[in-house]
Amino acid sequence: MRLKRIILLFITLAAANSASSDVNKTDTFSAYVDAEGNISKPDGFRTDWEHLGSWFIPADEHAQGPGFHDVYASPGTAAAFKQTGEFPDGAVLVKEIRGIESKEHTTGNAHWAGDTGVWFVMVKDTQNRFPDNKSWGEGWGWALFKADNPSLNVTTNWKGEGLNNCYGCHLPAQQTDWVYVEGYPTLR
């Protein structure tokens, strides 16, 4: 009888601890977003997150972003997307764009990723938490970090100019939650 009470007490404490842990998880929107909606670049995404896929944009007269584009998702994002077909609230996507290196090898003219030029970071916001912050729109927070200062988000308006024109680049992907999902085999 005493053992049953100890087991019941243990189960009750574990459930209470789990419930308080879940409350803390829902109270925190994202570790990469502050109270004003400023986005920071995640560390360790290349080793600790799921690689969704890669794009190669050759350097030619039509390329607006030539290089190797590798895209990573915060833990649990791909699984949630596969279940619902939508990105979950707080999901973070990081696109790292690296330069193009090439050399003739025994297999032919080889190309590989060079140095990182920029990182784009998107944070899903299903609740429109930052309506007055111009770096947020269409359910996402948008950020750009350059290699010369990787801790500084230079995006001030997601409908900005040049590399800050997140809207212009992602408009064709509006029907798939503003993300080019066809390039990510992990989501299929």
Side-chain angles (χ1 to χ4, degrees):
M1 184 67 133
R2 182 180 162 115
L3 181 60
K4 284 184 181 178
R5 272 193 258 176
I6 291 172
I7 292 171
L8 183 57
L9 178 62
F10 178 75
I11 292 171
T12 304
L13 287 172
N17 199 16
S18 174
S20 80
S21 174
D22 288 344
V23 167
N24 290 337
K25 286 179 189 169
T26 58
D27 286 346
T28 303
F29 167 59
S30 173
Y32 308 105
V33 180
D34 70 14
E36 288 80 39
N38 299 307
I39 299 170
S40 59
K41 183 174 75 61
D43 291 324
F45 63 87
R46 200 183 301 148
T47 55
D48 301 335
W49 290 18
E50 190 163 17
H51 184 253
L52 295 183
S54 299
W55 299 79
F56 173 69
I57 311 298
D60 63 29
E61 68 275 2
H62 303 292
Q64 298 211 6
F68 287 86
H69 298 217
D70 286 300
V71 180
Y72 301 85
S74 54
T77 297
F81 185 88
K82 284 184 201 179
Q83 279 188 325
T84 66
E86 297 176 2
F87 291 97
D89 192 48
V92 181
L93 303 179
V94 176
K95 176 168 51 171
E96 179 177 56
I97 301 181
R98 300 171 71 85
I100 303 168
E101 301 289 332
S102 63
K103 184 177 181 182
E104 191 67 34
H105 282 272
T106 56
T107 56
N109 188 13
H111 294 78
W112 61 90
D115 293 334
T116 300
V118 297
W119 297 269
F120 291 99
V121 178
M122 295 171 64
V123 181
K124 183 66 179 175
D125 176 20
T126 62
Q127 297 180 25
N128 194 27
R129 292 173 176 86
F130 310 103
D132 297 326
N133 186 322
K134 293 182 191 260
S135 294
W136 292 78
E138 298 298 337
W140 289 94
W142 307 81
L144 168 64
F145 300 87
K146 295 181 178 181
D148 61 354
N149 191 353
S151 62
L152 177 65
N153 174 7
V154 298
T155 296
T156 57
N157 186 337
W158 84 289
K159 289 185 175 182
E161 299 294 323
L163 288 175
N164 276 306
N165 189 1
C166 309
Y167 173 80
C169 284
H170 285 259
L171 186 61
Q174 184 177 8
Q175 297 304 312
T176 52
D177 200 13
W178 298 86
V179 177
Y180 291 94
V181 295
E182 72 272 15
Y184 308 132
T186 306
L187 298 181
R188 290 185 238 140

